[in-house]
Amino acid sequence: MEKLLIELDIPVRYVKGVGPKKACILKKLGINTVCDLLQYYPRAYQDRTSTTPIFRLISGERQTVKGHVIGYKENYFPRKGVRLQKVIISDGLGKASLLFFNQPRISRLLPKGSELFVTGRIRRFRREIQIYDFDFEVVNKRMKIHTNRIVPIYPVTCDLQRVGQRMLRGIMKEALEQYIPVLRDPLPNSILLRYALCDLSFAIQNIHFPLDKPSFKKARDRLAFDELFLLQLGIGLTKKDRRKQKGIAYRIDGNLVPRFLSSLPFSLTRAQMRVIDEIKQDMKSSYPMNRLIHGDVGSGKTIVAICACLISVENGYQVAFMAPTEVLASQHFLALKDLLSKLPVKIGLLISDLKKKEREEILTQIERGEISIVIGTHALIQEGVTFRRLGVCIIDEQHKFGVMQRGALIEKAKGLSGGVPDILVMTATPIPRTLALTIYGDLDVSCLDELPPGRKKVLTFCRQEEDLPKIYEFLKSEIRSGRQAYIVYPAIEGHEELDLKAAEEMVRKLQKGIFKDYKLALLHGRMKTWERDEIMKSFRKKEIDILVSTTVIEVGIDLPNATVMLIEDAHRFGLAQLHQLRGRVGRGDYRSYCILVTKKGISDLVNSKLITEEDTNRKAIKRLQAIVSTADGFQIADRDLQIRGPGELFGVKQHGRLRLSVADIIKDVKLLEHARREAFSILEEDPHLDKNQGLKKTFDYYFVGRLELAAIS
Ligand code: ADP
Ligand code: MG
């Protein structure tokens, strides 16, 4: 009977030749079942297809020869107690010795005249050509697995390196012979045809023992497709599930939004109007909103979010407005209080260092429904604050959270609202499309792809430390004409104490020295919220000229009067971080500057646009070149991905039982898009996969429990 791969959920001992001992070794590699085994893919391959004549062998290389046995020699080293057996082979034009240790019966195993393939390391000893560290196979009709082909190299632990490879290849060959013939393909034929994908049997066979390079590529693409397809199926189901839930159908014809918008000193961008409209449609409908607003720094996401808040409030529901840090939460609080001062909406801030009494007071007001918009960090939801009627959750700068956390957040929120609240997620880190489809694949996406008019490009320069005195003079001239500035120092992870000292010392030095006639203040992550608030407030009131900071001001801080962002040791910042930091200036009508200060060697290379591949600072130089040359967040995100590679940027590693072991989320964009289209269209017609039992079983196997995605780091 034909079986799905996952139905081979039977002990690996069923494979011929696997006894208790081998089963035990396999278990150490995490292989318990035949299904595990067949999905234990090689980590690499060696091409041992072509053979080399013995007289052409090169010392130090790993090469493959074909020859027959013509004789034996034995040396005995009594002091080491080692017997060295040599099997002499010839290919008619040359002779070579295969070196065996302590295998007296080797001549019986390899009788004279037997023909062999050997792949091993070559060494010349006097006039003798020796082959050691080799794999060999007798030439006969049976399929070769160690030599004369593209050979799989499996991931094994160190202690298994030598025997492990041979053993695994042997076991794998048996397993393939036994089970490939009964394998059933879970994917509908129509999909295979549409994308010219090979069938599963061919794929499994050729991922282990590729016939040739094109076959390997076909196998890889098919298995990658499967991984992405299952992932998208999971995302599609999550999305559909949410649609099925009954949400709140708000009335959207109230007057709070129009009153709010007409109170603003500016008119909305077209992008803002469009997105507000999309939100209104979501809120009006009876299914819950799950929307992501994606927009570069300064594109005006807050205004859009406030509109969602107001609709909720007007319909008698409360809003949880969550920011990733308390600094940002406090800032949102101030901004909202200001923006909504003329409207009958009560706002509350809930953060950790409130006095006990204050906190209780606020909690009661939330519970009674007296506070309509509650601002805080995501602890708001996690700690189970009781709302009277929660309608909307706003999650700002959510790239800090993962889908899983978001899922948990939504679950919690449901508990609090007695229904399914609307979710609005906002992110300022533009992410490449392929990542978006995976990380935010379950959300509807709105893009604020337009900056408010009049924004001037932030002039960005890379300078060396020696230029600092001049740069400081420049800061002074800006301040004298009424502007303000930031100076940012990098934070080294795990060295916050030291960083803090460095920043503290710098402030003192600058304040006493070059900036003695100006007012400086320090802002850092270790401060109490109220302390930070005080500082932000006085910075806002222009009582402070220069805000010196570690990276706490990275996200969200909004102050149009600040025009200079001076970043010291800029080579130590990530690209997204630099972009965020630069986004703190150029928010008003004034010409703004971002000055990146780094070591002379680096700044010279950044500015010369030259770069040598071996340079140890290569990545840093590329980052700085990118930030100097473009202001477009999407381009920067792409560059970031290129420079860092997906591995570093990206923590989407495991999803339930599904591992993306073959697929590469970044490089397989095309496959990802195809997989998504097919997965979604299948769900459209067959929402419970009733007509696709094979798929359903496969899916259920991989997604035991809930769909889990890790966060991007
Ligand atoms: P972000 O998208 O980075 O969160 P904000 O919502 O903080 O951006 O908005 C940045 C600044 O731009 C704020 O001071 C805000 O008041 C202002 N702003 C928002 N929309 C507009 C607009 N349409 N025209 C002019 N200024 C705007
Ligand atoms: Mg913002």
Side-chain angles (χ1 to χ4, degrees):
M1 205 189 70
E2 293 201 315
K3 281 179 179 299
L4 293 164
L5 188 55
I6 46 132
E7 288 168 342
L8 296 176
D9 212 357
I10 48 175
V12 74
R13 300 242 336 241
Y14 280 71
V15 178
K16 219 162 65 188
V18 178
K21 218 171 122 197
K22 285 187 182 168
C24 188
I25 297 175
L26 291 175
K27 197 181 161 113
K28 278 192 206 144
L29 298 174
I31 303 170
N32 294 303
T33 66
V34 173
C35 176
D36 294 341
L37 180 69
L38 292 178
Q39 291 190 88
Y40 197 75
Y41 302 139
R43 66 169 167 80
Y45 301 85
Q46 271 176 15
D47 191 348
R48 302 179 178 177
T49 316
S50 58
T51 57
T52 308
I54 289 177
F55 75 88
R56 287 235 179 102
L57 291 176
I58 299 167
S59 254
E61 299 278 288
R62 176 179 291 281
Q63 289 174 303
T64 300
V65 298
K66 186 183 184 187
H68 52 272
V69 177
I70 57 169
Y72 313 92
K73 262 189 206 158
E74 179 167 311
N75 296 351
Y76 179 52
F77 302 98
R79 245 186 291 161
K80 290 187 191 155
V82 171
R83 266 172 212 286
L84 172 67
Q85 285 92 17
K86 291 181 182 171
V87 173
I88 317 293
I89 60 167
S90 157
D91 63 357
L93 294 169
K95 281 194 292 186
S97 315
L98 309 185
L99 308 188
F100 290 88
F101 292 93
N102 296 328
Q103 296 199 34
R105 295 150 72 86
I106 194 67
S107 60
R108 249 186 273 169
L109 192 68
L110 293 175
K112 255 188 203 171
S114 28
E115 203 177 2
L116 308 174
F117 284 114
V118 182
T119 301
R121 283 222 183 277
I122 311 302
R123 151 170 99 191
R124 277 172 199 269
F125 185 69
R126 307 222 168 102
R127 309 201 52 195
E128 185 184 354
I129 298 170
Q130 299 183 337
I131 308 180
Y132 63 104
D133 188 17
F134 54 80
D135 288 318
F136 70 90
E137 280 170 301
V138 175
V139 178
N140 55 23
K141 287 226 173 68
R142 300 196 50 177
M143 182 178 111
K144 299 288 158 288
I145 56 174
H146 306 298
T147 60
N148 190 228
R149 65 164 311 114
I150 298 175
V151 173
I153 309 292
Y154 290 99
V156 293
T157 46
C158 283
D159 50 320
L160 284 177
Q161 202 49 259
R162 277 294 289 139
V163 270
Q165 295 298 342
R166 288 189 70 88
M167 188 192 82
L168 274 169
R169 279 179 220 138
I171 296 172
M172 209 61 88
K173 179 180 173 226
E174 279 303 332
L176 292 169
E177 275 171 15
Q178 258 172 279
Y179 294 104
I180 285 288
V182 301
L183 214 52
R184 182 153 63 96
D185 200 323
L187 276 195
N189 235 328
S190 55
I191 295 185
L192 300 188
L193 287 173
R194 198 147 37 239
Y195 303 106
L197 295 168
C198 65
D199 66 39
L200 188 62
S201 302
F202 181 94
I204 299 275
Q205 177 73 43
N206 279 275
I207 199 79
H208 290 290
F209 295 109
L211 197 60
D212 47 29
K213 284 184 184 152
S215 306
F216 164 73
K217 182 158 186 328
K218 272 210 155 325
R220 195 214 78 94
D221 281 356
R222 163 64 206 260
L223 297 173
F225 183 89
D226 284 19
E227 289 176 356
L228 298 170
F229 180 77
L230 285 171
L231 180 64
Q232 290 298 331
L233 214 49
I235 288 169
L237 280 168
T238 317
K239 196 165 174 173
K240 272 215 155 11
D241 270 359
R242 297 230 192 95
R243 289 246 165 166
K244 271 196 319 242
Q245 292 167 330
K246 194 135 183 58
I248 305 157
Y250 302 84
R251 295 186 54 131
I252 55 167
D253 52 3
N255 67 8
L256 278 187
V257 174
R259 273 169 74 191
F260 166 62
L261 294 179
S262 60
S263 76
L264 293 174
F266 46 75
S267 52
L268 296 182
T269 64
R270 264 165 312 177
Q272 281 171 320
M273 287 192 268
R274 189 185 64 231
V275 175
I276 290 171
D277 215 52
E278 285 163 351
I279 290 172
K280 278 186 175 168
Q281 293 314 314
D282 281 351
M283 292 186 74
K284 192 172 91 177
S285 83
S286 61
Y287 63 78
M289 166 164 73
N290 282 284
R291 186 166 289 280
L292 169 76
I293 304 179
H294 196 217
D296 212 342
V297 278
S299 56
K301 293 182 285 295
T302 316
I303 305 288
V304 172
I306 290 176
C307 292
C309 298
L310 292 177
I311 295 175
S312 173
V313 171
E314 194 155 54
N315 281 264
Y317 288 90
Q318 288 164 293
V319 178
F321 198 130
M322 292 170 281
T325 65
E326 299 208 326
V327 176
L328 280 174
S330 316
Q331 180 187 282
H332 274 317
F333 177 67
L334 293 178
L336 260 68
K337 231 169 68 177
D338 186 38
L339 286 164
L340 300 175
S341 58
K342 296 194 191 80
L343 299 177
V345 179
K346 188 154 170 135
I347 312 172
L349 176 66
L350 196 67
I351 43 178
S352 60
D353 52 78
L354 291 177
K355 296 208 185 68
K356 193 156 176 254
K357 239 180 106 199
E358 263 179 311
R359 186 179 173 81
E360 271 162 16
E361 173 73 27
I362 291 183
L363 285 174
T364 323
Q365 288 182 330
I366 297 173
E367 200 167 342
R368 290 208 196 113
E370 290 160 14
I371 293 181
S372 300
I373 303 178
V374 187
I375 301 171
T377 64
H378 52 298
L380 255 192
I381 292 293
Q382 280 160 351
E383 285 162 13
V385 176
T386 318
F387 289 81
R388 198 171 78 89
R389 246 152 74 104
L390 181 60
V392 174
C393 290
I394 313 254
I395 309 177
D396 191 16
E397 310 292 1
Q398 104 93 37
H399 58 287
K400 304 262 165 177
F401 310 144
V403 173
M404 191 179 65
Q405 286 161 293
R406 183 169 72 229
L409 223 54
I410 295 172
E411 285 307 309
K412 277 265 167 51
K414 268 191 227 167
L416 299 178
S417 64
V420 184
D422 287 312
I423 308 288
L424 192 62
V425 172
M426 305 195 283
T427 175
T429 304
I431 46 177
R433 189 177 148 63
T434 139
L435 281 186
L437 288 181
T438 307
I439 300 175
Y440 299 120
D442 58 329
L443 302 179
D444 298 311
V445 178
S446 294
C447 190
L448 280 177
D449 49 6
E450 185 185 350
L451 293 181
R455 288 280 155 81
K456 298 198 184 83
K457 204 178 130 209
V458 178
L459 295 177
T460 306
F461 307 100
C462 184
R463 294 289 177 260
Q464 60 198 51
E465 283 153 6
E466 286 75 3
D467 295 330
L468 274 172
K470 268 189 281 172
I471 297 170
Y472 291 148
E473 285 308 317
F474 174 69
L475 257 66
K476 285 188 194 167
S477 70
E478 280 293 296
I479 296 166
R480 276 196 302 269
S481 51
R483 307 286 81 78
Q484 289 162 287
Y486 299 100
I487 302 180
V488 179
Y489 293 95
I492 322 168
E493 234 172 291
H495 291 79
E496 283 123 41
E497 295 287 346
L498 284 178
D499 287 342
L500 206 52
K501 267 214 190 116
E504 271 169 347
E505 224 175 277
M506 279 313 293
V507 178
R508 223 173 300 132
K509 226 170 89 187
L510 293 172
Q511 180 73 80
K512 274 200 209 140
I514 188 136
F515 289 116
K516 62 178 183 306
D517 301 328
Y518 300 79
K519 181 95 182 64
L520 274 61
L522 177 67
L523 188 75
H524 61 77
R526 294 284 196 81
M527 284 173 159
K528 291 248 188 269
T529 313
W530 66 265
E531 288 177 302
R532 291 190 222 162
D533 275 355
E534 286 305 309
I535 290 179
M536 284 314 296
K537 255 189 236 157
S538 21
F539 193 50
R540 232 169 252 287
K541 282 195 243 156
K542 300 195 197 175
E543 292 161 3
I544 295 169
D545 301 313
I546 303 178
L547 194 62
V548 179
S549 151
T550 54
T551 47
V552 281
I553 58 165
E554 185 187 330
V555 279
I557 286 186
D558 180 37
L559 200 95
N561 193 50
T563 55
V564 187
M565 169 61 67
L566 169 57
I567 305 175
E568 298 219 12
D569 276 340
H571 55 278
R572 282 166 55 191
F573 290 82
L575 192 44
Q577 247 179 342
L578 291 173
H579 181 61
Q580 283 286 345
L581 286 172
R582 178 170 58 185
R584 296 312 109 211
V585 294
R587 300 175 79 90
D589 297 330
Y590 313 105
R591 175 52 87 210
S592 296
Y593 308 85
C594 175
I595 306 168
L596 308 154
V597 176
T598 178
K599 294 182 210 145
K600 178 168 168 33
I602 297 180
S603 74
D604 285 349
L605 281 170
V606 171
N607 292 320
S608 69
K609 305 205 166 63
L610 283 176
I611 185 159
T612 53
E613 281 305 306
E614 313 83 67
D615 198 311
T616 43
N617 293 315
R618 200 175 108 239
K619 286 188 177 182
I621 294 166
K622 284 192 174 174
R623 285 198 297 270
L624 294 171
Q625 283 175 337
I627 202 83
V628 171
S629 64
T630 176
D632 179 327
F634 286 90
Q635 272 185 37
I636 285 178
D638 276 338
R639 293 286 295 134
D640 200 19
L641 211 55
Q642 285 166 20
I643 295 171
R644 291 210 272 176
E648 228 180 291
L649 183 66
F650 195 52
V652 183
K653 284 195 189 104
Q654 200 170 341
H655 317 259
R657 232 183 251 178
L658 180 70
R659 234 181 282 266
L660 295 186
S661 47
V662 180
D664 178 328
I665 297 253
I666 310 305
K667 292 190 187 129
D668 291 323
V669 199
K670 267 273 159 310
L671 277 182
L672 177 68
E673 280 170 0
H674 295 161
R676 182 175 174 90
R677 188 177 321 138
E678 292 301 329
F680 278 58
S681 100
I682 284 189
L683 289 176
E684 204 54 54
E685 266 180 38
D686 184 13
H688 307 290
L689 299 179
D690 296 328
K691 289 180 250 163
N692 289 279
Q693 282 302 317
L695 263 186
K696 180 167 171 41
K697 276 192 195 163
T698 307
F699 180 81
D700 287 345
Y701 173 83
Y702 286 108
F703 291 93
V704 266
R706 96 181 20 255
L707 175 66
E708 289 181 10
L709 296 178
I712 15 175
S713 44

